[in-house]
Each structure stands twice: as structure tokens, then as C-alpha cells.
């Protein structure tokens, strides 16, 4: 018996509204950023979307995560079409569906400690106690090769590669079934890229 896909995307379409005005006439046009994309991912599998800049890779990733609305198609995760869920149901699903952004700094609160940034998903989803969240965050920092001592620092005190490791640790905090990585090494030095890719594979 074949195992069901963890994620199955069928005929995904994403459009953006474009407004232009010319004289007395205003036209409403749309830009189709993603057109008929289909793929599936089995549990334990890694899938890479490859294409030139601007071809819709990040838009596809954001649509899967529910950060960008799709106008057509199915996004079936763990047997449920995410496009049919209301806000509360989608929020519950997010525990199993996490993201590593290309530039993690943009998603960090610069006033928070690294320890609190990693523990934030646990707080948002009310997982554990304050003490257990802190312990889990420090353990995750160890697992991504930073060490628990980094927990008291702020994002501005870390290098780009270190911040990306923090982003990975945060994505793993809820032990998700799927991690979507949106060009997680493109902003890093070549010397650091291999380290982060190996970490993601581990």
C-alpha cells in the first residue's frame, strides 16, 4: 500500500491585481505569478523548486504556507485542503507547517533575545511551561550548532549564518511535519552555505 503524500499541490494558481489608470478610463488587470503548478512530497522526502529569478518559487512557497492567497487549485496537507480552512483551523495546522525565510532578520524582533525568538512558536501555540520552553530553545540552539550561550544575545550580535541557524531552530521548535525553506542560503557567504545545507539535511 502506497503511503499518502504529506503535501500535494494540484494546479496551483496565484494572481496579483494590477491597477492602472489612463485618462478617464481605469483598467483592472491581473498578473499571474503561478500558473498550474503541481507536485507532491512524501513524508521524509525533500523537494527542491528550481527556476530563474521571478518565476514564482517564493510565491508558491508562500501560497503553500497560506501567507499568499491562491486563486485556484488545491493545497492538500496531511489529507486536508488548506484552502478550505477557516482562520482558526489554519492556525492549528501551522504547528505542523513551518518556514525558514531567505532573510531571517526580517522576521526577528530585534529587541528579543535569541532564546525568546526560538521559543516564540511555543508561546504562540501555548506549548509547555515557561521553563520548558526556555529549555527547549536552548537545546535547539545546541542542535543547530550555536550553543546555549548564544541564547542571551540579540539578533544584531550574530552573523548572517548564525541568524539563519536561529531561523532553522525556530522552525523546528514545534516539531513540524513539513518545513518550507525559501532560498535559505542565498543571502549567505559561500563558505557558510554548505554548513547550513548540511544542517537542514540533518
Amino acid at each position: 500500500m502506497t503511503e499518502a503524500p504529506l503535501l500535494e499541490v494540484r494546479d496551483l494558481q496565484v494572481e496579483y491585481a494590477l491597477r492602472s489608470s489612463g485618462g478617464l478610463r481605469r483598467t483592472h488587470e491581473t498578473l499571474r505569478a503561478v500558473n498550474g503548478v503541481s507536485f507532491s512530497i512524501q513524508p521524509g522526502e525533500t523537494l527542491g523548486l528550481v527556476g530563474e529569478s521571478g518565476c514564482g518559487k517564493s510565491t508558491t512557497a508562500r501560497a503553500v504556507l497560506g501567507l499568499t492567497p491562491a486563486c485556484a487549485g488545491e493545497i492538500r496537507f496531511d489529507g486536508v485542503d488548506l484552502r478550505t480552512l477557516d482562520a482558526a483551523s489554519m492556525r492549528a495546522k501551522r504547528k505542523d507547517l513551518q518556514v525558514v525565510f531567505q532573510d531571517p532578520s526580517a522576521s526577528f524582533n530585534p529587541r528579543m533575545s535569541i532564546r525568546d525568538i526560538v521559543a516564540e512558536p511555543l508561546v504562540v501555540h501555548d506549548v509547555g511551561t515557561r521553563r520548558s520552553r526556555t529549555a527547549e530553545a536552548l537545546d535547539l540552539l545546541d542542535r543547530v550548532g550555536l550553543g546555549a550561550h548564544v541564547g542571551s544575545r540579540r539578533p544584531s550580535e550574530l552573523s548572517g549564518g548564525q541568524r539563519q541557524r536561529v531561523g532553522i531552530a525556530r522552525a523546528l521548535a514545534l516539531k513540524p511535519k513539513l518545513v518550507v525553506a525559501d532560498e535559505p542560503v542565498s543571502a549567505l557567504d559561500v563558505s557558510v552555505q554548505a554548513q547550513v545545507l548540511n544542517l537542514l539535511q540533518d
Side-chain angles (χ1 to χ4, degrees):
M1 183 174 167
T2 305
E3 192 173 9
L6 177 62
L7 176 69
E8 189 169 15
V9 176
R10 296 178 183 169
D11 298 321
L12 182 67
Q13 294 184 18
V14 180
E15 294 180 349
Y16 294 108
L18 301 176
R19 292 184 180 179
S20 60
S21 57
L24 299 175
R25 296 184 62 190
R26 176 171 290 178
T27 59
H28 296 273
E29 299 177 356
T30 58
L31 169 68
R32 183 162 288 178
V34 176
N35 186 15
V37 171
S38 299
F39 59 88
S40 65
I41 303 175
Q42 297 293 129
E45 186 178 28
T46 299
L47 173 74
L49 292 183
V50 181
E52 62 187 20
S53 180
C55 72
K57 300 183 301 294
S58 292
T59 302
T60 299
R62 293 179 64 83
V64 167
L65 294 162
L67 301 176
T68 294
C71 62
E74 289 184 10
I75 304 168
R76 193 166 288 277
F77 174 68
D78 217 11
V80 177
D81 188 353
L82 299 182
R83 294 192 64 221
T84 66
L85 299 181
D86 59 25
S89 300
M90 186 63 193
R91 180 185 173 92
K93 277 288 181 189
R94 286 194 191 283
K95 289 175 70 173
D96 290 326
L97 188 63
Q98 293 293 299
V99 61
V100 178
F101 292 103
Q102 178 179 0
D103 178 11
S105 303
S107 64
F108 292 167
N109 182 336
R111 298 176 183 173
M112 291 175 68
S113 69
I114 297 302
R115 175 185 58 241
D116 290 342
I117 288 171
V118 174
E120 190 174 18
L122 301 171
V123 175
V124 169
H125 290 278
D126 196 25
V127 175
T129 63
R130 184 184 181 93
R131 179 174 291 182
S132 68
R133 292 166 191 158
T134 298
E136 180 67 17
L138 296 179
D139 179 60
L140 282 164
L141 289 173
D142 258 340
R143 286 174 57 193
V144 299
L146 289 174
H149 66 279
V150 175
S152 60
R153 297 184 187 174
R154 297 288 187 270
S156 61
E157 299 177 61
L158 303 184
S159 68
Q162 289 174 320
R163 287 194 293 268
Q164 192 58 286
R165 288 172 183 267
V166 173
I168 294 168
R170 182 177 61 178
L172 298 176
L174 291 167
K175 298 177 176 63
K177 295 180 179 179
L178 179 69
V179 175
V180 176
D182 185 8
E183 299 191 43
V185 297
S186 61
L188 304 178
D189 292 337
V190 174
S191 60
V192 182
Q193 288 183 2
Q195 297 173 15
V196 173
L197 286 173
N198 288 334
L199 173 62
L200 285 167
Q201 186 174 13
D202 291 342

